[in-house]
Amino acid sequence: MSFPRGDAPGAALASLTELLEGAHRATPDELGGIVARAGEPFGWDLLCFLVNFDQETLVPFGPPGTGRVAAIPVSDDGGGLAFRSIRTVHAPDGVTWLPILDGVERMGVLRVAPRHDGAAPEEHAEALRWISLLIGHLVAVMTPYGDVITQARGGGDRTGEAELLWTLLPPLTYASDDVVVSAVLEPSRRVAGDAFDYAVQDGLLDVGLFDGTGHDLTSGLLASVALAAYRSHRRRGGSLTDCAKAIDQVLRTQTDASGYATGVLLRLDTDTGVLEYVNAGHLHPLLLRDGQVLESLDTSGRPLFGLGETEVSVGHVQLHHGDQLVLYTDGIPEARDEHGEFFGIERLQELLTEHAAGRPPAPELLRLVMRSVLDHQRGQLQDDATLLLIEWAPGGGAELFPA
């Protein structure tokens, strides 16, 4: 039964309680039903739409019978717009759409359809925000408990190589008041040799991007080993040089000196904007300022990880407020169309400039660029392709993810 409008706090508490208590001992496949029941106090029909890992489709995830509900494209003007812009959308048909976020990572959207005697969603914006945020948290927390949520998002079609790497990756997007980190990997079902990691602690942001040589399980194993060695020595307080040497050593000893990986390690002081980086045979990161590609970071260099210890030159850059760094693997510039024409770094720079002008949220900027890479190859990538963006905006980073 819906609550009278004058008892909105009671309805909000009842909805949140239903979510918390209902999910406490629930299995992942029961989450959709719990969400639906959470709309009862307001007289709303609630339904989650989870985004596929390829970020092209929003798939309904609800109680039994939801299978009759059609998926919607991310390009849609209702739920798709809420997902792309990370904003609440009140559609002309009376339905309200909200982004479902785990922290700031986009998990999907929530459809709110008021019944004839239900409360108007636009009059309870704060309660809806609480509900959608809690749903996002529950989706993330309950995903590892079973396979149904991952399957719903298209993860059931992953290759063994892709499954190996996806289990090692951190959340695709993170944001604080000072910095934003976001990444996108394609093809999501077959990615094998690309991996990334990051950590934020004590005023420092550490980021590592790796690309194992080859195009099969071997490349995935190389990237996984490099990531694990990096994560291990970073957690011990190692410098960028220490981490680079550790990655080099483990690849040499565990692959009989036959396995290699390119990579970039970065450390950003989020208070001062001072950036240090080490490049191991990888493509040079791009620095964007005011929406324009300013330069590539090319003052650091060493051979690929796995070729043995060598002198490591550490590059230094002073970032300005709002600067963005874009890291990418060779699957981006080396993407080829049916005529053999490469996508190229120049085209990447042009797209970054074009899309940055509209100030989309960081994950949406990367999604748009990656769509162009896929379109260039008619959806068939010849190699893994990864984009990673870092934005330093002290005191304003969180504004990229409005409620």
Side-chain angles (χ1 to χ4, degrees), residues 31-308:
L31 180 58
I34 295 167
V35 170
R37 291 193 296 274
E40 293 293 337
F42 283 102
W44 296 332
D45 290 327
L46 301 183
L47 179 60
C48 293
F49 286 74
L50 302 180
V51 67
N52 271 5
F53 287 103
D54 61 12
Q55 298 191 54
E56 282 293 296
T57 310
L58 293 158
V59 182
F61 183 78
T66 305
R68 295 189 296 271
V69 179
I72 57 177
V74 168
S75 58
D76 173 76
D77 288 336
L81 177 58
F83 178 82
R84 299 192 309 270
S85 63
I86 317 184
R87 294 182 182 273
T88 299
V89 172
H90 300 290
D93 59 1
V95 172
T96 293
W97 298 88
L98 292 93
I100 294 176
L101 305 174
D102 174 36
V104 294
E105 182 172 5
R106 302 182 298 180
M107 310 296 287
V109 292
L110 177 67
R111 188 184 71 183
V112 185
R115 301 167 191 162
H116 71 279
D117 60 345
E122 57 269 26
E123 296 179 5
H124 301 278
E126 191 68 5
L128 266 178
R129 189 174 73 88
W130 296 338
I131 291 169
S132 66
L133 288 174
L134 181 52
I135 290 172
H137 176 68
L138 292 175
V139 169
V141 168
M142 297 180 72
T143 293
Y145 297 157
D147 295 326
V148 64
I149 296 176
T150 299
Q151 289 170 335
R153 300 183 64 191
D157 298 328
R158 289 176 185 161
T159 63
E161 299 94 313
E163 195 64 51
L164 171 66
L165 282 178
W166 275 103
T167 57
L168 295 176
L169 298 179
L172 293 182
T173 302
Y174 164 83
S176 70
D177 288 336
D178 299 320
V179 69
V180 175
V181 182
S182 190
V184 59
L185 296 85
E186 287 288 354
S188 63
R189 293 175 176 84
R190 293 186 292 109
V191 63
D194 291 359
F196 73 94
D197 194 32
Y198 61 83
V200 183
Q201 181 176 322
D202 297 331
L204 296 177
L205 167 68
D206 282 279
V207 176
L209 178 66
F210 309 96
D211 185 359
T213 56
H215 303 284
D216 53 17
L217 179 59
T218 300
S219 64
L221 291 173
L222 291 171
S224 300
V225 169
L227 186 152
Y230 166 67
R231 186 177 285 169
S232 172
H233 281 75
R234 185 193 69 216
R235 288 173 176 171
R236 298 179 194 179
S239 65
L240 293 184
T241 302
D242 294 334
C243 291
K245 290 181 177 179
I247 297 168
D248 203 73
Q249 182 178 10
V250 73
L251 285 180
R252 286 180 60 81
T253 57
Q254 298 300 319
T255 66
D256 296 325
S258 61
Y260 314 106
T262 69
V264 180
L265 309 181
L266 303 96
R267 177 164 291 171
L268 172 65
D269 187 317
T270 58
D271 294 324
T272 66
V274 173
L275 175 78
E276 299 178 328
Y277 65 98
V278 169
N279 190 322
H282 199 81
L283 297 165
H284 300 305
L286 301 174
L287 173 61
L288 281 72
R289 181 169 296 161
D290 298 325
Q292 301 292 320
V293 177
L294 187 66
E295 61 178 310
S296 60
L297 306 188
D298 57 5
T299 59
S300 166
R302 55 147 288 160
L304 280 64
F305 294 125
L307 287 178

Side-chain angles (χ1 to χ4, degrees), residues 5-51:
R5 295 195 183 194
D7 194 16
L13 180 59
S15 294
L16 295 171
T17 300
E18 175 62 42
L19 288 170
L20 286 170
E21 292 289 346
H24 185 58
R25 291 182 178 272
T27 56
D29 56 289
E30 296 173 323
L31 180 58
I34 295 167
V35 170
R37 291 193 296 274
E40 293 293 337
F42 283 102
W44 296 332
D45 290 327
L46 301 183
L47 179 60
C48 293
F49 286 74
L50 302 180
V51 67

